Amino acid sequence: LKARLLEARRRDFCPAQSVSYVNTDPLLVVEGRGARLIDERGRSFLDTRNNVAHVGHAHPAVAAAVAAQVSTLNTNTRYLHPTVCELARRLLDTMPAPLRDGVVFFVNSGSEANDLALRLARAANTRGASRCLVVEHAYHGHTSAVIGLSPYKFDHRSFGGRGQPEWVTKCPAPDLFRGPHRGADAGRRYAEAVAEACAAEGEGGVCAFFIESGMSVAGVLLPPAGYLASCYEAVRAAGGVCVADEVQTGLGRFGTCWWGFEQQGVVPDIVTMGKPMGNGMPLAAVVATRRGSDAFSAG
């Protein structure tokens, strides 16, 4: 069976949709329970790869809630329904002010969330700036727009060195392990690159600064103390908004706080979430300040 499935994948799928461990013995996964995956032979593997099963595979409460809902109603949010309003309020209540008094957009993935965040940032910019700042190795999704915000993608050799959009500036990742700054002043020194990128735009200013509150594909990097506060100050002084990508760090994953940005003592203008919000179901969200959402709705 495994050989037939691998043949079917190679025949019917683009090679860019890779299969893990194909060079040795690809897994044929038939079940997931908690933090473990089970193959067709009944072997159990600790799942260190999936990032969307936030409370574990086949969590009974999640499975029961999904089964009950899809057997009752599955529609979009243009109609009134108590559940969507309750979820929005509960989500806002986890946020610090002024986000707590902001608005929620429900979407289906982290990619869509960051794509919408870019649209919100552009709408809110009073200077007409388009310049967006990101950090090296960042990954914010795979729509056409947010690939442009993702050096992890646009620096790939398949782009032939032409992947970075003109409107994007790439700043050094605040890497305390392999980067040039590793001392007590690392936060300030890495933030200087962001401040310099803002200054380079002059009176035109910048549109947005996108950063994962803890960088995943960049090597599981946590920003050094003071880094985000200094970056946010520079970006806001240049007229930009600060976007916290919480797709892989939010919803309590840091253990001591609900949102990763809280560890840095900052409050972003926009927060994005991905499918971990729905434990892998196509449910994600964007939370934005009311000022940002008002500019978007007026546009």
Side-chain angles (χ1 to χ4, degrees):
L1 175 60
K2 184 184 290 189
R4 293 201 305 273
L5 289 174
L6 184 57
E7 180 184 0
R9 280 288 296 251
R10 287 170 169 164
R11 182 187 65 236
D12 299 332
F13 288 67
C14 173
Q17 298 173 280
S18 61
V19 177
S20 294
Y21 312 114
V22 72
N23 58 328
T24 54
D25 185 20
L27 287 177
L28 170 52
V29 176
V30 298
E31 187 178 1
R33 293 288 171 187
R36 306 195 74 86
L37 296 174
I38 301 164
D39 74 359
E40 82 286 5
R41 295 162 54 186
R43 295 181 299 174
S44 176
F45 299 86
L46 180 64
D47 184 5
T48 63
R49 298 292 297 276
N50 280 295
N51 63 358
V52 294
H54 188 58
V55 294
H57 297 284
H59 192 289
V62 175
V66 171
Q69 188 60 54
V70 297
S71 64
T72 303
L73 175 69
N74 184 13
T75 185
N76 58 42
T77 56
R78 68 166 55 95
Y79 310 112
L80 292 175
H81 194 276
T83 301
V84 70
C85 292
E86 179 186 358
L87 179 57
R89 186 67 260 165
R90 290 181 65 182
L91 188 59
L92 288 169
D93 283 344
T94 69
M95 296 285 172
L99 287 166
R100 184 184 299 118
D101 301 313
V103 300
V104 176
F105 299 83
F106 289 114
V107 293
N108 65 21
S109 68
S111 294
E112 188 180 8
N114 283 318
D115 194 284
L116 176 57
L118 178 59
R119 293 172 61 199
L120 287 163
R122 287 171 170 168
N125 193 275
T126 58
R127 304 188 193 182
S130 61
R131 175 68 51 189
C132 288
L133 312 182
V134 298
V135 301
E136 292 171 324
H137 315 301
Y139 176 61
H140 296 292
H142 58 251
T143 69
S144 293
V146 296
I147 281 179
L149 297 172
S150 304
Y152 172 71
K153 288 291 187 181
F154 69 60
D155 278 341
H156 192 271
R157 63 181 180 276
S158 60
F159 284 92
R162 300 183 300 274
Q164 181 173 343
E166 184 279 329
W167 48 271
V168 171
T169 294
K170 184 172 58 175
C171 301
D175 189 343
L176 291 174
F177 302 101
R178 295 167 292 272
H181 310 306
R182 308 183 194 184
D185 62 346
R188 175 183 60 80
R189 297 187 70 182
Y190 278 118
E192 286 173 354
V194 174
E196 289 168 3
C198 291
E201 297 304 306
E203 292 299 315
V206 301
C207 177
F209 173 52
F210 278 76
I211 189 167
E212 301 161 88
S213 299
M215 285 139 275
S216 52
V217 298
V220 191
L221 305 178
L222 297 182
Y227 172 75
L228 286 185
S230 296
C231 291
Y232 279 22
E233 181 180 5
V235 170
R236 285 169 172 158
V241 299
C242 300
V243 182
D245 183 333
E246 293 277 346
V247 173
Q248 299 199 60
T249 58
L251 303 165
R253 276 185 164 164
F254 277 10
T256 57
C257 52
W258 196 245
W259 303 108
F261 64 78
E262 293 178 286
Q263 283 199 340
Q264 292 268 313
V266 296
V267 180
D269 302 294
I270 301 173
V271 181
T272 61
M273 290 145 259
K275 290 188 291 295
M277 180 178 169
N279 208 47
M281 296 293 108
L283 173 64
V286 177
V287 171
T289 62
R290 194 161 295 276
R291 174 179 169 273
S293 69
D294 287 350
F296 182 72
S297 62

